[in-house]
Amino acid sequence: LGNFNDNDLTVSPRVPVLVKDRQELLAYFRQNNVDLGVWFDEPLSPAPKSSIFNYDKNKYRNAKYISQNVINFPSHNALSEEDLNKIKSILKDYGNKKLQ
């Protein structure tokens, strides 16, 4: 984990959020020139194809739902305050449209 001091600025490699309609949210952000990340499409990614894993994706319903409904917001250290405000604004607009 390393040694950290007060001068270190840490950034999470991913900020995952569970959403109801991942494709809709991805499209909305893409239309506003912001790419959200998608880390997993299955509980294990890539889904094992070999029978030696004894993997049945239908056996883990909750994990399957989560893996197909999680997005990642950009969180790299190259983001400016302007970038963060844009992401915040797009998310707020999306939420307001869903409430109407």
Side-chain angles (χ1 to χ4, degrees):
L1 296 175
N3 297 315
F4 297 99
N5 65 49
D6 292 339
N7 296 322
D8 290 331
L9 298 174
T10 60
V11 176
S12 172
R14 303 191 192 285
V15 179
V17 178
L18 188 61
V19 298
K20 208 176 238 186
D21 188 336
R22 177 163 74 178
Q23 294 310 316
E24 180 181 78
L25 190 65
L26 290 171
Y28 190 81
F29 269 79
R30 199 173 304 118
Q31 289 169 358
N32 287 280
N33 300 313
V34 174
D35 286 325
L36 301 180
V38 174
W39 199 3
F40 287 101
D41 291 323
E42 294 288 337
L44 294 176
S45 187
K49 295 185 184 351
S50 174
S51 62
I52 65 170
F53 292 101
N54 194 26
Y55 173 70
D56 177 2
K57 67 180 178 181
N58 298 315
K59 199 173 188 182
Y60 308 100
R61 287 186 9 230
N62 290 338
K64 184 173 177 72
Y65 177 82
I66 290 169
S67 68
Q68 294 178 342
N69 290 282
V70 167
I71 57 95
N72 299 300
F73 283 104
S75 61
H76 52 82
N77 60 0
L79 291 172
S80 68
E81 189 169 343
E82 182 180 328
D83 295 329
L84 295 172
N85 286 331
K86 179 179 180 179
I87 292 167
K88 180 180 167 183
S89 176
I90 295 168
L91 185 58
K92 187 175 181 179
D93 289 346
Y94 178 81
N96 287 336
K97 288 180 185 198
K98 295 305 284 182
L99 291 174
Q100 294 176 356

